[in-house]
Amino acid sequence: EVKRSGRGTWRYFEAKMNEAATRTLLIQRALHDGLQANYFSLHFQPKFRDGGTTLAGAEALLRLTHPELGSLPPAEFIPIAERSGQIVQIGYWVVREACRHIHLWQDEDLPVVRIAINLSPRQLVQPELVTTILGILETENVTPEQIIFEITESVAMQDAAHTTEMIREFQRSGFEIAIDDFGTGYSSLAYLQRFGAKQLKIDRFFTNGLDTDGHESTAIVSAIIALAHALEMDVVAEGVETPSQLDRLNTLFCDELQGFLLGKPMPGEAFGALLRTYEGDIAEPPDVPTSEP
Ligand code: C2E
Ligand code: MG
Ligand code: MG
Ligand code: MG
């Protein structure tokens, strides 16, 4: 009896593992074919300043849509691309595609805003990363001031000395850096200061907590904002979903806001339409070529 059910359980796990392995293989193939086959696209999620009234740019978020697998969330396919190394080529595509959109908006004489692009650990160890990115920007006619690269806190701290060097190289070339998902990893405050990043992005776990565990999360968010401001960084709150979270963040002098309440990730055409029709102020990054009158 026990034996039989044990075997049944084993068969069940075996079947599940085969299923997972097969799915991983399919995703790896989708990642491999994706650049040629046009499976990838970018969505842009707006970011706001001044309590949510000024449009300050957008974060570019990668999407993968496969004819059989359907639409896959980055949380599923990015770790696979990271392990296989495919993220390096895909990451360059993300930069090129973001630049292509920036250029389209510029050609339309829309306000110039800064676009945030996520970087993976595997990308950060490419010796030619910054040079290759600069080459892409030159081809696409985009200046580094129009881009801010996001590095997650846990990745940044894994090899903080290397991260410091990379950040310096990015900054020497004119790019800004944001530390992403802050508060969930273990930060060395000395390194956080040494990075000299422009922005600190509070993980949406804490934003969410402003509603669910009020006092504790307010204390943490307020401490993160104080820390960031002391180190001359701007704070971005991720995952703003409710008016009460927005209110709380404004009371705490959070500099930038991003979340479904203010704007969901949208295709490039939709973000272009937002730039075209937005009725509030639009914050342009300094030192960008202004469009001809
Ligand atoms: P992230 O960089 O922290 O991006 C923010 C994520 O939070 C996005 O998920 C966004 O859709 C989601 N989000 C924004 N506002 C809200 C909200 O109000 N509520 C909730 N529940 N979620 C919100 P997404 O697009 O699924 O991306 C997940 C992660 O995948 C990103 O986290 C980033 O780490 C990674 N990723 C996305 N695109 C790229 C890329 O081009 N390159 C690399 N290396 N990583 C990427
Ligand atoms: Mg990010
Ligand atoms: Mg984040
Ligand atoms: Mg995240």
Side-chain angles (χ1 to χ4, degrees), residues 27 30-32 34-35 38-45 58-66 70-82 86-98 101 115-120 123 150 180 258 265-268:
I27 294 175
L31 292 167
H32 176 267
L35 293 177
N38 266 326
Y39 296 159
F40 293 109
S41 62
L42 283 189
H43 276 193
F44 296 86
Q45 183 178 33
E59 176 172 5
L61 294 160
L62 187 58
R63 297 291 177 258
L64 171 57
T65 313
H66 185 265
S71 157
L72 298 170
E76 185 174 11
F77 70 80
I78 288 188
I80 297 173
E82 179 68 34
Q86 289 161 304
I87 193 66
V88 174
Q89 288 315 313
I90 296 167
Y92 290 135
W93 181 87
V94 170
V95 174
R96 207 172 303 121
E97 184 68 1
H101 279 97
I115 300 300
I117 297 177
N118 294 283
L119 289 176
S120 282
Q123 295 175 270
E150 301 193 355
D180 203 358
Q258 188 181 342
M266 58 186 88

Side-chain angles (χ1 to χ4, degrees), residues 59 118 150 152 180-182 201-204 238:
E59 176 172 5
N118 294 283
E150 301 193 355
T152 61
D180 203 358
D181 301 346
F182 186 79
K201 298 190 79 175
I202 302 180
D203 193 83
R204 72 164 187 270
E238 304 191 284

Side-chain angles (χ1 to χ4, degrees), residues 14-30:
E14 200 174 36
K16 280 287 167 205
M17 278 168 66
N18 279 335
E19 218 174 90
T22 306
R23 189 170 170 84
T24 302
L25 276 175
L26 281 174
I27 294 175
Q28 268 169 358
R29 191 160 320 142

Side-chain angles (χ1 to χ4, degrees), residues 42-46 55 57-58 100-113 115 264-279 282:
L42 283 189
H43 276 193
F44 296 86
Q45 183 178 33
L55 181 60
R100 192 176 69 82
H101 279 97
I102 292 172
H103 203 214
L104 282 176
W105 300 324
Q106 225 158 272
D107 280 350
E108 251 198 85
D109 277 345
L110 294 172
V112 177
V113 291
I115 300 300
K264 294 203 167 152
M266 58 186 88
E269 304 83 72
F271 187 71
L274 182 65
L275 285 173
R276 213 172 295 125
T277 58
Y278 191 69
E279 295 194 333
I282 299 185

